[in-house]
């Protein structure tokens, strides 16, 4: 760390206290080296029983709460950042827990004054159930997340365009704040702002957190649909690859019409779908690594692709209604 002792404030935004928030707070208090403060940003003041649970944690005197009202996560982080004396903010989600060496691995990067943001992969916890791990498999695969899969799987250290706020260390710089109007993808906009201010964003595979996954079903569908909406709103030719799931959705929609136009050619129409199933099946077996969740992972892939593609279409069309 170049001999400097950083004042680190770990910020955890959440709606209400629960078991995962307690887990995230406990992990923040056990970091080595320790952070100087943990700021909890709930909607409303914590109950007395919640504070009793916090006070039983080692280092509980470093915890403060800043009730924000029902704000989105980016706005809650801005509440914690306002007029703060911290040098570095550590951002983790309430359903994530930092590894004990999170700061030891991440802080040395800030010896380079050009680096404003540091992060690494957020990994699926070993205790998550099969439906959660299947969704984690999709997110750790290039077939599920494209180039963003490195957010969920360790790869080599590199400069990146963006990182998620479930695993992020950021300098406290005037003007480097979250866009309060964004309910999702505020982390992407935050990193874009850092780049515009002349800073770099650094990915280090050793800067790790565990992040509980959504379960395969409605919540997972909504998550990927939200991803698609955001990308559709900022669609551009240079990011055309991000529209690939939309092409899959349009293909599926065209199957019905193709059946009416040329029913005798159904084998030809289904060839792309068969190829897709083979590729997804092979990737699901690779990701499952012999565990009996390969079928769940194979189901999670089309769920993610269709949800994202549908969201992308909605986001893109929304640009013309605005």
């Amino acid at each position: 760390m170049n001999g400097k002792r950083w004042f680190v404030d770990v910020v955890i935004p959440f709606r209400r206290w629960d078991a995962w928030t307690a887990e995230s707070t406990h992990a923040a208090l056990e970091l080595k080296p320790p952070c100087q403060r943990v700021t909890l940003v709930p909607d409303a003041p914590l109950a007395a029983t919640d504070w009793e649970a916090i006070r039983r944690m080692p280092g509980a005197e470093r915890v403060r709460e800043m009730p924000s009202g029902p704000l989105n996560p980016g706005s809650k982080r801005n509440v914690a950042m306002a007029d703060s004396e911290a040098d570095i903010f550590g951002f983790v989600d309430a359903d994530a827990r930092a590894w004990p060496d999170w700061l030891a691995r991440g802080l040395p990067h800030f010896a380079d004054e050009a680096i404003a943001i540091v992060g690494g992969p957020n990994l699926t916890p070993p205790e998550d159930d099969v439906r959660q791990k299947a969704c984690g498999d999709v997110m750790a695969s290039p077939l599920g997340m494209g180039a963003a899969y490195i957010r969920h799987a360790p790869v080599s250290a590199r400069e990146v365009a963006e990182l998620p706020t479930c695993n992020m260390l950021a300098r406290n710089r005037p003007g480097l704040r979250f866009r309060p109007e964004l309910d999702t993808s505020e982390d992407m906009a935050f990193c874009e702002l850092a780049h515009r201010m002349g800073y770099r964003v650094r990915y280090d595979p050793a800067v790790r957190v565990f992040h509980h996954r959504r379960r395969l079903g409605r919540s997972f569908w909504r998550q990927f649909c939200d991803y698609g909406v955001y990308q559709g709103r900022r669609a551009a030719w240079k990011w055309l690859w991000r529209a690939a799931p939309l092409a899959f959705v349009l293909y599926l929609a065209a199957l019905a019409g193709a059946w009416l136009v040329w029913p005798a050619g159904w084998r030809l129409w289904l060839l792309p779908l068969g190829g897709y199933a083979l590729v997804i099946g092979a990737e699901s077996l690779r990701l499952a690594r012999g565990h009996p969740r390969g079928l769940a992972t194979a189901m999670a892939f089309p769920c993610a692709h269709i949800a994202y593609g549908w969201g992308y279409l909605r986001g893109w069309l929304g640009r013309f209604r605005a």
Side-chain angles (χ1 to χ4, degrees):
M1 290 183 290
N2 213 26
K4 180 171 182 178
R5 180 176 175 82
W6 306 97
F7 186 111
V8 180
D9 187 355
V10 177
V11 178
I12 306 174
F14 58 98
R15 294 295 186 194
R16 60 189 64 84
W17 185 263
D18 59 19
W20 281 354
T21 311
E23 177 186 281
S24 182
T25 304
H26 191 272
L29 290 171
E30 292 199 324
L31 293 170
K32 302 296 180 186
C35 61
Q36 282 62 51
R37 187 167 62 208
V38 176
T39 299
L40 305 178
V41 193
D43 282 2
L46 297 177
T49 52
D50 300 333
W51 271 109
E52 289 175 8
I54 294 171
R55 292 190 182 100
R56 289 194 292 268
M57 300 178 186
E61 68 279 358
R62 289 179 281 140
V63 178
R64 68 168 179 170
E65 70 168 329
M66 299 185 70
S68 65
L71 302 179
N72 59 34
S75 297
K76 284 176 173 286
R77 296 186 190 99
N78 286 343
V79 168
M81 298 168 79
D83 301 319
S84 174
E85 72 274 31
D87 300 305
I88 305 292
F89 292 109
F91 298 121
V92 291
D93 286 355
D95 56 354
R97 65 178 187 268
W99 285 33
D101 62 353
W102 192 52
L103 296 182
R105 299 286 190 173
L107 290 181
H109 291 284
F110 291 103
D112 183 346
E113 292 291 334
I115 292 178
I117 298 172
V118 175
N122 64 91
L123 307 176
T124 303
E127 68 271 17
D128 274 7
D129 63 31
V130 169
R131 289 169 61 196
Q132 289 172 293
K133 288 179 177 176
C135 296
D137 286 342
V138 171
M139 301 178 83
S141 168
L143 294 182
M145 291 291 291
Y149 85 98
I150 68 171
R151 300 178 183 181
H152 312 283
V155 299
S156 59
R158 62 192 68 184
E159 307 293 327
V160 294
E162 54 204 26
L163 287 169
T165 41
C166 66
N167 180 10
M168 180 186 287
L169 297 165
R171 288 188 191 273
N172 183 6
R173 286 290 183 265
L176 186 56
R177 297 295 185 263
F178 292 91
R179 289 172 54 183
E181 74 275 14
L182 295 179
D183 293 328
T184 62
S185 301
E186 75 284 355
D187 43 12
M188 297 182 185
F190 185 75
C191 292
E192 287 176 3
L193 176 59
H195 283 297
R196 290 198 302 271
M197 294 172 67
Y199 292 109
R200 303 202 311 270
V201 178
R202 182 72 175 171
Y203 171 95
D204 184 336
V207 182
R208 303 184 180 191
V209 304
F210 280 128
H211 193 186
H212 294 289
R213 304 304 182 199
R214 311 281 179 93
R215 283 187 173 87
L216 180 58
R218 182 179 299 177
S219 62
F220 183 64
W221 172 279
R222 189 184 311 117
Q223 180 182 19
F224 269 78
C225 190
D226 288 343
Y227 289 163
V229 168
Y230 178 76
Q231 294 298 341
R233 287 172 178 166
R234 62 202 293 258
W237 286 110
K238 63 179 180 179
W239 294 322
L240 186 60
W241 61 270
R242 293 178 176 174
L246 173 60
F248 181 60
V249 169
L250 295 177
Y251 160 73
L252 293 177
L255 278 179
W259 184 271
L260 294 174
V261 172
W262 187 28
W266 65 270
R267 291 183 179 86
L268 182 62
W269 295 120
L270 289 178
L271 275 178
L273 189 61
Y276 173 86
L278 286 174
V279 172
I280 292 305
E283 180 70 350
S284 299
L285 290 175
R286 181 188 73 82
L287 293 164
R289 299 179 184 90
H291 296 286
R293 66 170 186 269
L295 180 58
T297 300
M299 294 171 61
F301 269 109
C303 177
H305 292 155
I306 296 171
Y308 179 101
W310 172 242
Y312 193 100
L313 180 61
R314 288 171 51 203
W316 183 73
L317 291 175
R319 299 170 61 179
F320 301 99
R321 293 196 298 267

